[in-house]
Amino acid sequence: MPELPEVESIVRQLDECLPDKTIREVNVRWPRIVDRPKLSDFCRQLEGQRIRGVRRRGKFIIFDLDGTDAAAHHLIAHLRMTGQFLYCRAGESSDATAVALEEDKHVHAILRLWKEATLYYRDVRKFGRLYLVKDAATIVGDLGPEPLGENLDGEALYDILHDHRRQIKPLLLDQQVIAGLGNIYVDEALWRAGIHPLRRSHRIDRPQAHTLHAAIETVLRSAIEMRGTTMHSYCTPDGEAGHNQSSLAVYGREGQDCPRCHGAIRKIRVAQRGSHYCPHCQPKPAE
DNA sequence: ACACCCTCCTGGAGGC
DNA sequence: TGCCTCCAGGAGGGTG
């Protein structure tokens, strides 16, 4: 499942190969992948637009476009669980890949670019969505601060935690509160900070909030360095898997040893999500 | 304000 | 081997 580090890795690659490419033709095979506008407008308005750059906001990928008409658009993508972008240029070793992708039943949208390049959107579970809007804020305007941004330090996180009285895990997963964290990195950050996923956010004191902020930063930065975590289907646009899975301390490690205390990792449900933690390092709150 | 449940989807895993 | 059921989950929507 692509979270901030995975989306960041994808965006960095896309921003290397896509700028100045013009979209020649758009082919959508699974119409529901397009959220807005209606499919015919989506294709018509995309065709002929030049890609200026690719950036990330939270888990959203934003393609800044530079159309010929006055209406500059933004193509915005959310990969949800299994979405992938795959980039192919003709005349390279990617030819075999491109042929396979053309036939791939999980490829739901194809952007043909000038010249000879193609961007495929592939998504096994079809949860991902594409948006074409004039104002990116209509999609990403409600997001909380970037966890690696300058606006979020330990103090700011402390304030956020004390603005709510929620369980810490669902709070950190809430994109309106902080943008970009998902199930894997929240579990990892809470383990590093020694905070139980059910702790009430407003019960976390100032030093703990600073520790948690540092943990979030460490977990995300090292995952970006490893180009993301590949649990199932995640890969970058060149088809490479990430390498961060070997660095995970708790996620997906139920019953295995905690790297810190060597006790057994436990898995519980928190807010309908599988949540991994160490009962010894992250003691259950008495609250 | 917050918890909880449902929906969207499919492939993979486990049971028998 | 094969079939069936269950499970994974990001986000949005609805309910209590």
Side-chain angles (χ1 to χ4, degrees):
Chain A
M1 55 209 99
E3 305 180 27
L4 187 153
E6 290 74 33
V7 177
E8 180 67 27
S9 303
I10 292 164
V11 162
R12 286 182 187 183
Q13 271 194 21
L14 291 177
D15 197 45
E16 274 177 27
C17 52
L18 291 182
D20 284 328
K21 295 264 192 321
T22 297
I23 299 166
R24 179 166 58 83
E25 185 190 340
V26 179
N27 181 358
V28 175
R29 298 173 174 179
W30 178 262
R32 295 176 68 174
I33 225 75
V34 174
D35 182 278
R36 68 188 74 170
K38 68 176 188 190
L39 184 57
S40 56
D41 290 338
F42 177 87
C43 297
R44 189 173 50 78
Q45 291 171 11
L46 254 188
E47 286 168 2
Q49 301 242 19
R50 188 179 65 94
I51 298 169
R52 250 189 309 139
V54 187
R55 59 195 166 99
R56 178 188 65 74
R57 178 71 175 95
K59 303 178 200 170
F60 288 89
I61 300 171
I62 304 176
F63 302 77
D64 293 312
L65 305 174
D66 197 5
T68 47
D69 54 359
H73 287 90
H74 304 274
L75 171 64
I76 302 183
H78 197 302
L79 306 177
R80 296 282 177 94
M81 301 299 298
T82 53
Q84 305 169 327
F85 277 109
L86 295 155
Y87 178 77
C88 288
R89 248 183 315 197
E92 292 191 352
S93 57
S94 59
D95 274 5
T97 314
V99 170
L101 284 169
E102 296 289 331
E103 309 293 322
D104 192 326
K105 66 172 182 174
H106 299 305
V107 167
H108 306 307
I110 303 177
L111 304 190
R112 309 221 181 264
L113 313 167
W114 296 108
K115 313 185 161 185
E116 309 279 336
T118 309
L119 185 65
Y120 297 89
Y121 179 72
R122 183 175 189 272
D123 192 344
V124 169
R125 292 190 197 166
K126 299 177 173 172
F127 280 2
R129 289 294 177 263
L130 302 176
Y131 312 80
L132 185 62
V133 292
K134 289 185 181 168
D135 181 5
T138 59
I139 304 298
V140 300
D142 291 336
L143 293 176
E146 287 287 328
L148 297 179
E150 289 176 6
N151 295 337
L152 193 76
D153 58 12
E155 264 318 283
L157 180 60
Y158 176 79
D159 290 341
I160 288 171
L161 298 182
H162 284 253
D163 278 344
H164 302 269
R165 306 179 140 248
R166 300 169 61 180
Q167 297 164 344
I168 184 68
K169 172 148 185 183
L171 184 76
L172 294 177
L173 287 173
D174 188 333
Q175 302 299 297
Q176 264 92 284
V177 174
I178 296 176
L181 296 176
N183 209 33
I184 294 176
Y185 299 111
V186 166
D187 279 5
E188 292 298 310
L190 289 175
W191 174 81
R192 282 190 78 92
I195 297 173
H196 193 284
L198 291 174
R199 277 289 288 287
R200 292 282 161 180
S201 60
H202 66 288
R203 308 294 287 261
I204 292 173
D205 64 23
R206 196 169 247 115
Q208 284 177 314
H210 282 259
T211 303
L212 177 58
H213 175 260
I216 291 170
E217 214 170 41
T218 302
V219 160
L220 293 180
R221 286 198 196 284
S222 60
I224 290 171
E225 224 159 284
M226 303 293 268
R227 292 176 183 266
T229 302
T230 297
M231 293 301 285
H232 305 289
S233 61
Y234 160 74
C235 67
T236 50
D238 63 9
E240 291 291 313
H243 301 284
N244 192 64
Q245 49 278 16
S246 55
S247 312
L248 299 181
V250 287
Y251 186 84
R253 299 191 64 248
E254 182 186 14
Q256 299 179 46
D257 285 5
C258 166
R260 192 190 286 127
C261 76
H262 303 290
I265 303 296
R266 198 172 294 170
K267 181 177 180 181
I268 56 173
R269 299 289 289 181
V270 178
Q272 287 80 246
R273 309 262 167 78
S275 301
H276 312 74
Y277 73 105
C278 169
H280 178 255
C281 299
Q282 300 162 263
K284 189 162 168 50
E287 20 193 76

